[in-house]
Amino acid sequence: MNILFISLPFALLLYKLKWTVEGLLEAFVIVAVVQSVFAVVMLLIPSFKDFVTLDLLDLQFMFDKKEYLLFFRIYGLSSEYLFTYPIFQGFVLMIIFTMVAQGVYKYVWFVPLIIISIVFNARIGIVAIPIILFVYFVFALRKSDAFVNLSKFFKTFSVVLLAVLLLVINVSLFIDPEIFTYMVLRGLEENSTGANHWDNLFERMLVLPSSIGGIFFGEGRYLYGNVYDVQSDIGYINDLLFGGVFYIVFYFSMLYYLFRKKYHSFTRIQRVLFSAVFLYIILCNYKGPLLVNNGFLRAVFIILFLHILMSKNESKSLSYYSDSVV
């Protein structure tokens, strides 16, 4: 739960500096764009990638641990490669989608770069696209407004699709064929253990507690990266073995409470965004342990806390104004 003790003070600082939720969302977009530009440059210029990973960031230990496979990954600038970095960038794709729905197109042309960065690091972030499309479509069916309606949905989808088709194709022509082939086939081919990526996630990595008590309250074990135990990347398995069903229910209840705390004060397009993010967290936690202190969740919590602080201030202002009139 130390993520709360990091996110809340940061949100308080931004509140004191008079940041808005919209300004913070745009700042996250800019961060992802910069990361993605570096990722594409590293793809196009292998020597630059060597400089960034081996000299600038000194990531040799990661290559030693995973052998040659990581030479085909780790593009861009981040402190959390391979999982939460591309998940954060998927979150930014959601933000850009909602910006386009509001008529703000200045970042849509960077969508292909962000997608390339996601795909060459860890493809899990791509699920953000169908999730935001699905949630937006559901909201558009329920009720229309200026920014959430079926007409806007098809226009937004068309703009994003056009940007992807025009730019991804052009950029991919310059990528090393060996790296491009590995990116496409990764997770489908067999590895040294004779099991492919999907077999790992749906067979080998499904490890359950050994007792009924362990199922409900865990065993205090955390398998991700634990070389002294069986291995599992699945977030729910790690959560279950660590704190049991009780821990998982508590964590998601807390997330749900924070999302619902000021849900009524969100604009409708913000409701689309945060409903999609909540679903995104549920899905991504299967691919890896997401319910830990990481950059993506910190970004989400900071936005939620900043929104709560801003809405409380607005409530006080309205209350003061009403009392003055009376």
Side-chain angles (χ1 to χ4, degrees):
M1 303 304 292
N2 58 349
I3 188 172
L4 299 178
F5 297 103
I6 296 174
S7 303
L8 182 56
F10 200 85
L12 286 168
L13 175 62
L14 293 178
Y15 177 71
K16 292 292 184 182
L17 295 175
K18 301 188 183 303
W19 276 64
T20 64
V21 170
E22 291 75 16
L24 182 57
L25 290 173
E26 186 167 2
F28 287 150
V29 172
I30 293 172
V31 169
V33 167
V34 172
Q35 290 175 326
S36 302
V37 169
F38 271 89
V40 172
V41 173
M42 290 166 70
L43 273 165
L44 298 177
I45 308 175
S47 60
F48 181 66
K49 179 192 176 180
D50 293 339
F51 168 74
V52 172
T53 57
L54 302 180
D55 298 325
L56 184 63
L57 300 180
D58 191 20
L59 300 179
Q60 183 64 50
F61 70 96
M62 296 184 68
F63 293 107
D64 291 339
K65 182 179 179 181
K66 297 290 186 180
E67 299 178 344
Y68 72 95
L69 292 179
L70 286 190
F71 282 112
F72 296 100
R73 301 176 68 178
I74 304 183
Y75 296 92
L77 295 179
S78 174
S79 61
E80 298 170 349
Y81 289 102
L82 309 180
F83 183 55
T84 53
Y85 163 46
I87 288 178
F88 168 76
Q89 292 197 308
F91 170 48
V92 168
L93 289 179
M94 292 181 175
I95 297 172
I96 293 176
F97 184 93
T98 58
M99 292 173 75
V100 172
Q102 298 172 82
V104 180
Y105 298 96
K106 60 182 176 179
Y107 295 110
V108 71
W109 307 110
F110 294 102
V111 166
L113 302 185
I114 298 174
I115 290 176
I116 290 173
S117 178
I118 291 172
V119 168
F120 280 89
N121 282 285
R123 290 171 293 184
I124 182 64
I126 292 297
V127 302
I129 297 176
I131 288 175
I132 190 67
L133 288 172
F134 169 75
V135 172
Y136 188 98
F137 186 74
V138 170
F139 270 75
L141 287 178
R142 291 174 56 193
K143 183 181 177 182
S144 295
D145 66 14
F147 300 129
V148 184
N149 56 65
L150 287 178
S151 175
K152 184 71 69 173
F153 169 80
F154 289 113
K155 289 179 182 178
T156 304
F157 177 76
S158 299
V159 170
V160 174
L161 180 61
L162 178 62
V164 172
L165 290 177
L166 290 178
L167 296 183
V168 169
I169 292 175
N170 289 331
V171 173
S172 65
L173 294 176
F174 299 96
I175 296 174
D176 187 317
E178 184 181 8
I179 296 175
F180 187 81
T181 301
Y182 175 79
M183 177 273 294
V184 173
L185 297 179
R186 187 174 81 230
L188 301 178
E189 76 287 357
E190 290 189 353
N191 57 33
S192 59
T193 64
N196 63 37
H197 186 67
W198 296 106
D199 290 337
N200 283 336
L201 284 179
F202 294 100
E203 292 183 16
R204 184 178 67 85
M205 292 185 178
L206 289 174
V207 183
L208 299 177
S210 57
S211 66
I212 298 297
I215 291 175
F216 284 101
F217 301 105
E219 299 177 350
R221 300 162 62 191
Y222 201 74
L223 303 185
Y224 188 75
N226 187 349
V227 296
Y228 303 104
D229 206 336
V230 294
Q231 296 292 306
S232 180
D233 290 348
I234 301 173
Y236 289 106
I237 296 299
N238 281 273
D239 299 333
L240 186 64
L241 287 168
F242 179 74
V245 173
F246 174 80
Y247 172 79
I248 296 174
V249 170
F250 172 78
Y251 207 122
F252 275 103
S253 297
M254 182 195 68
L255 281 174
Y256 181 75
Y257 173 77
L258 286 175
F259 275 88
R260 291 290 300 178
K261 177 68 176 175
K262 293 293 180 178
Y263 192 76
H264 64 279
S265 62
F266 286 147
T267 63
R268 199 148 180 272
I269 194 66
Q270 287 176 336
R271 292 179 187 179
V272 170
L273 175 61
F274 286 103
S275 297
V277 168
F278 189 72
L279 181 58
Y280 189 46
I281 292 171
I282 292 174
L283 292 178
C284 289
N285 194 54
Y286 189 89
K287 179 61 175 66
L290 191 61
L291 303 184
V292 293
N293 187 8
N294 61 72
F296 162 68
L297 277 187
R298 285 196 297 271
V300 172
F301 275 113
I302 290 170
I303 293 171
L304 290 173
F305 286 139
L306 181 60
H307 177 78
I308 291 171
L309 290 169
M310 290 182 63
S311 57
K312 281 187 175 181
N313 184 57
E314 291 172 0
S315 298
K316 288 181 180 179
S317 298
L318 290 174
S319 175
Y320 175 79
Y321 179 75
S322 300
D323 292 341
S324 299
V325 171
V326 173

